[in-house]
Amino acid sequence: MKEEILRHLSPEYPWKDRFHWYPELDSTNDRLKILSREGAPQGTVLIAGRQTGGHGRMGRSFLSPGGMGVYLSILLRPQCGPQALMHLTCATAVAMCDAVEAAAGFRPGIKWTNDLVCGGKKLGGILTELILSPQGSLEGAIIGIGINCCQQARDFPESLQSIAQSLSMVSGKTVNPAHVAAAMMEALYRMDGTLLTDHEQTLQRYRRDCVTIGREISLLRSDAVRHGTALDVDDSGALVVRFPDGSIEAVNSGEVSVRGMYGYL
Ligand code: BTN
């Protein structure tokens, strides 16, 4: 698998010597955190054939069966403070739309903030984790991405069949995970090059891909549910929501469900 991914990378991809493939890991993000503390360089990429403890936002698990998807984490070491990376998940999501478009021939949407979707179902997710020093300065950023590539509906557990799908299901074609993995690595390399300079342009692209904007949403925060309409994504990547009393808030945390997606009616 490693050789096949390397074959799909362009000659210009500069981090080939920092790419590690494992048949199985608990979580590529967790393993990369350890390597980061040991001094792994910018651009280190881990890919696992399967994960036994893949996880996403809010402690949720991310199902990572062998041979079905790409489970990838990359370590970046941007020269900036943590505040300058507020849009990191947005930039990654746009980069992953580029990668899917290049490898599978269609452009997915983004469900704010970190899900890749198509037709109201989830194709993949992104988990970004910043590594800070005890003084609060930025030591690195770990970005983990999982994308369902080869599953058919029957390959998902019954509880997920109405909310999850794969690149093969959407494209109606066989999708090669090695090709997808290489496209993800290339897109992440390009994203790193413009991360601190193209903030505005990245958010404009994010808004174009984000299917949450203009939709009715429900926001679950501290056990309370509020309904509203998603108006926009602001320059920090927060979701701008109008609530029924007319108030408008930039939402940065909590679980946002979008009406018409993931079975939310
Ligand atoms: C989410 O859906 O909330 C994010 C899912 C992120 C999953 C990826 S798979 C590779 C990396 N390793 C993990 O444990 N998580 C991320």
Side-chain angles (χ1 to χ4, degrees):
M1 182 69 169
K2 179 169 183 178
E3 293 313 312
E4 206 185 340
I5 295 171
L6 285 169
R7 269 202 304 278
H8 277 95
L9 287 168
S10 68
E12 291 77 36
Y13 182 79
W15 294 329
K16 288 188 181 135
D17 60 332
R18 300 156 198 204
F19 161 43
H20 309 277
W21 188 84
Y22 300 81
E24 177 181 305
L25 282 179
D26 49 354
S27 152
T28 53
N29 265 38
D30 292 353
R31 179 61 64 94
L32 193 49
K33 256 179 244 166
I34 296 168
L35 297 184
S36 167
R37 265 185 244 123
E38 293 170 353
Q42 149 95 340
T44 300
V45 167
L46 305 189
I47 297 184
R50 64 189 288 260
Q51 294 184 118
T52 52
H55 53 89
R57 281 177 71 236
M58 303 197 232
R60 299 224 174 93
S61 63
F62 186 84
L63 210 61
S64 314
M68 292 288 177
V70 179
Y71 318 113
L72 176 154
S73 297
I74 186 166
L75 171 66
L76 299 180
R77 296 201 185 272
Q79 298 303 303
C80 64
Q83 287 301 317
L85 290 186
M86 283 195 297
H87 65 307
L88 180 61
T89 301
C90 294
T92 304
V94 173
M96 292 305 97
C97 288
D98 292 343
V100 169
E101 195 170 18
F106 72 94
R107 193 166 185 87
I110 302 165
K111 175 186 170 287
W112 185 89
T113 175
N114 67 325
D115 281 355
L116 299 180
V117 297
C118 194
K121 293 187 183 181
K122 178 160 170 164
L123 286 166
I126 298 164
L127 176 67
T128 46
E129 302 183 86
L130 299 187
I131 304 171
L132 303 178
S133 73
Q135 293 73 33
S137 63
L138 183 72
E139 293 191 337
I142 289 173
I143 308 169
I145 306 129
I147 298 186
N148 304 324
C149 291
C150 306
Q151 289 95 335
Q152 294 303 314
R154 62 177 176 276
D155 296 317
F156 290 105
E158 223 176 289
S159 58
L160 294 184
Q161 286 179 7
S162 60
I163 58 174
Q165 64 180 344
S166 70
L167 303 185
S168 291
M169 288 165 69
V170 175
S171 66
K173 296 185 203 136
T174 307
V175 171
N176 179 353
H179 187 192
V180 177
M184 291 163 71
M185 290 163 73
E186 301 267 9
L188 288 163
Y189 168 64
R190 285 195 301 274
M191 178 201 78
D192 177 65
T194 57
L195 188 60
L196 300 179
T197 51
D198 286 7
H199 191 130
E200 247 318 298
Q201 199 193 338
T202 300
L203 281 156
Q204 269 171 30
R205 296 189 69 209
Y206 183 89
R207 290 180 189 110
R208 274 205 296 274
D209 286 328
C210 182
V211 296
T212 307
I213 295 172
R215 305 282 283 265
E216 283 178 55
I217 60 115
S218 81
L219 169 68
L220 174 63
R221 222 168 22 184
S222 339
D223 281 348
V225 180
R226 297 169 77 193
H227 298 278
T229 305
L231 299 179
D232 201 358
V233 170
D234 74 12
D235 288 349
S236 72
L239 188 68
V240 181
V241 180
R242 185 177 57 227
F243 293 101
D245 63 2
S247 64
I248 293 178
E249 279 179 40
V251 171
N252 238 324
S253 61
E255 174 67 6
V256 168
S257 303
V258 181
R259 194 176 288 281
M261 303 190 72
Y262 300 1
Y264 169 52
L265 301 173

